[in-house]
Amino acid sequence: MFRFRIYTMWFTKLFSRNQAFPPETTVKPYMSKSFPIPDKVIYVCTGSKCKKKGGKELGKFFREMIKEAGLKGQVEVVKTDCTDRCDFAPVVCMQPDNAWMPQMNEAKALEAFQEHILRASPDHR
């Protein structure tokens, strides 16, 4: 019970501190080095079913589009483990729009990239 209280207090302090940070381009909460924070993130499921249906290739495709658009550092692709949406594989989520896209392929990926990344970026309007 005592250990649980210590962890609870630690998590409470951790999350209350994170909310106090101003939105900046870099974060330095508990580390000696800071790192850049992207404006947008594309999460690509690479769980077993999504991977079989092209999830891994979609991640590479999004990285190529980011590089071609000159948005490296502003947009990041993150491969995730299973998102538990296997019936809709492969699944992609784009943040900060919270746009979840099922049964993604390269044509849909290009359209989604243009809608959620390029049209929303001030550099490409």
Side-chain angles (χ1 to χ4, degrees):
M1 187 68 172
F2 179 71
R3 190 177 290 169
F4 176 75
R5 286 185 186 163
I6 291 173
Y7 288 130
T8 305
M9 291 183 335
W10 180 78
F11 274 101
T12 304
K13 288 180 182 179
L14 175 70
F15 289 113
S16 64
R17 285 183 192 161
N18 282 343
Q19 293 173 357
F21 286 112
E24 298 175 0
T25 56
T26 58
V27 167
K28 192 175 180 178
Y30 301 104
M31 297 175 267
S32 60
K33 296 181 182 178
S34 61
F35 58 92
I37 295 181
D39 298 327
K40 299 176 189 316
V41 180
I42 302 170
Y43 294 97
V44 180
C45 180
T46 56
S48 61
K49 199 163 189 179
C50 286
K51 192 178 200 177
K52 287 178 188 173
K53 293 191 174 188
K56 192 173 181 181
E57 290 78 18
L58 279 172
K60 291 178 184 178
F61 186 65
F62 279 120
R63 283 189 182 92
E64 289 172 13
M65 288 192 289
I66 290 167
K67 188 175 180 182
E68 288 174 10
L71 296 173
K72 202 169 184 178
Q74 297 172 24
V75 180
E76 189 173 321
V77 177
V78 176
K79 295 185 293 185
T80 66
D81 286 334
C82 184
T83 57
D84 207 21
R85 290 164 175 82
C86 300
D87 292 339
F88 305 102
V91 177
V92 172
C93 177
M94 295 192 177
Q95 296 295 338
D97 295 348
N98 197 28
W100 286 82
M101 290 151 276
Q103 300 166 339
M104 186 63 74
N105 58 34
E106 285 192 7
K108 289 181 182 178
L110 179 60
E111 185 179 321
F113 187 80
Q114 291 171 345
E115 181 181 343
H116 295 282
I117 305 299
L118 294 181
R119 290 191 188 135
S121 295
D123 298 342
H124 288 83
R125 286 185 180 174

